[in-house]
Amino acid sequence: MTVSARDLAVVTRFNGRLFWRDRTALSTSVALFLLLGTGMPLLMDRLGAGSQELLVNMHLGMLTTVLVISTFQQTTVTLCVRRDQLLLKRLRATGLSDRDILGGEIANLVLQSTALTVLVSVALYGLTSLPVPRDPLLYLFAVVAGALVLCLLGAAFTVAVPRSELAAPMAMPFFLLAGLGAGGFGPIMQVLPGWVGTVLGLLPTDAIVDMARTAYAAHGSLGGDLRAAAVPTLKLAVWAAIGALVIVRRFRWESRKS
């Protein structure tokens, strides 16, 4: 089954319209992204609470944390709601392929998350002493690839969610663990056992932070950046394969009640 570019674009636009009409999505995804993504680094900069390196780490940690909300959690909630409303079943009845339907939802959230990331980053460059990435293309790649993988994992996670009311609470543990490992909650990892950091380092959010940190490094070269990004990219590829496999084998298009 192939993906039609035209059908994918149509479903992406359709999901985009639904997204911007959903007040819950706007408050939990967009508002939280903007407030937390800019608020914490801006507060740290105004208080002069650390060096520029600490500001970069806070920015990347918080950015990755809110990226989980706008991708993994939002994908899980949205697909579970539309599954229970039988909207996914109706879309399949239109003749659209399964890949176009899911791909349109994922593409929409990746685009939304990337746009929010750009907005937050530009705001921080203007309002704080946060430097512009030395390698902006690597930074953009980290955000887009990370958002894509997290959306795939969010779609795969719907397999474990029995009904839409439980989607957000069940996704919360991943958000907390991902935020902790990414450094979005501050230097808490320094007081935890070393094995905790090792385990959390396996999460895809760790790969996003690693690549973004390389993009912000003061010194480097194209070859050095590519070598530094190789392992995080491989980690994201493995998680993407896991998510895609679960979706292909276990994704449910209808609620259990139906």
Side-chain angles (χ1 to χ4, degrees):
M1 188 182 298
T2 60
V3 177
S4 166
R6 179 179 177 277
D7 290 344
L8 183 63
V10 169
V11 178
T12 300
R13 288 196 299 269
F14 172 71
N15 286 316
R17 289 195 295 270
L18 292 180
F19 178 84
W20 288 104
R21 292 174 183 175
D22 187 343
R23 295 182 180 178
T24 302
L26 293 179
S27 61
T28 59
S29 183
V30 176
L32 275 179
F33 197 111
L34 296 175
L35 290 174
L36 294 178
T38 57
M40 292 301 294
L42 180 61
L43 178 62
M44 176 178 288
D45 184 71
R46 288 291 185 267
L47 295 176
S51 63
Q52 191 174 79
E53 181 181 359
L54 188 60
L55 179 61
V56 170
N57 289 336
M58 170 57 73
H59 164 56
L60 297 181
M62 185 54 63
L63 179 66
T64 305
T65 301
V66 294
L67 195 64
V68 174
I69 298 176
S70 66
T71 54
F72 178 88
Q73 184 167 313
Q74 189 61 43
T75 302
T76 301
V77 172
T78 299
L79 289 179
C80 285
V81 169
R82 292 178 186 171
R83 180 181 65 195
D84 288 0
Q85 293 174 341
L86 300 181
L87 181 56
L88 294 180
K89 183 178 180 180
R90 293 177 189 138
L91 286 173
R92 295 183 88 192
T94 64
L96 291 168
S97 70
D98 294 351
R99 292 183 181 181
D100 288 330
I101 296 171
L102 290 181
E105 180 59 50
I106 290 173
N108 168 60
L109 292 178
V110 170
L111 289 173
Q112 307 289 357
S113 299
T114 302
L116 289 171
T117 298
V118 172
L119 185 60
V120 166
S121 299
V122 170
L124 290 176
Y125 299 148
L127 298 174
T128 70
S129 58
L130 182 72
V132 176
R134 175 184 50 80
D135 190 341
L137 290 180
L138 179 59
Y139 178 58
L140 182 62
F141 174 77
V143 172
V144 175
L148 176 59
V149 172
L150 289 171
C151 283
L152 284 172
L153 293 176
F157 188 70
T158 60
V159 171
V161 181
R163 58 183 187 273
S164 58
E165 295 85 352
L166 299 176
M170 290 182 66
M172 187 59 65
F174 180 81
F175 161 71
L176 295 174
L177 291 174
L180 179 63
F185 303 141
I188 302 178
M189 293 297 298
Q190 297 178 6
V191 300
L192 295 177
W195 64 267
V196 176
T198 301
V199 173
L200 295 180
L202 299 175
L203 295 176
T205 47
D206 184 76
I208 299 172
V209 173
D210 281 349
M211 276 195 285
R213 189 176 289 119
T214 299
Y216 270 100
H219 304 287
S221 62
L222 177 60
D225 289 351
L226 292 177
R227 287 191 295 271
V231 173
T233 301
L234 179 61
K235 187 186 298 185
L236 289 178
V238 170
W239 279 109
I242 293 173
L245 182 63
V246 173
I247 291 171
V248 170
R249 292 177 176 255
R250 301 293 302 276
F251 186 81
R252 290 190 295 111
W253 293 91
E254 301 180 31
S255 65
R256 291 174 182 174
K257 293 181 292 184
S258 63

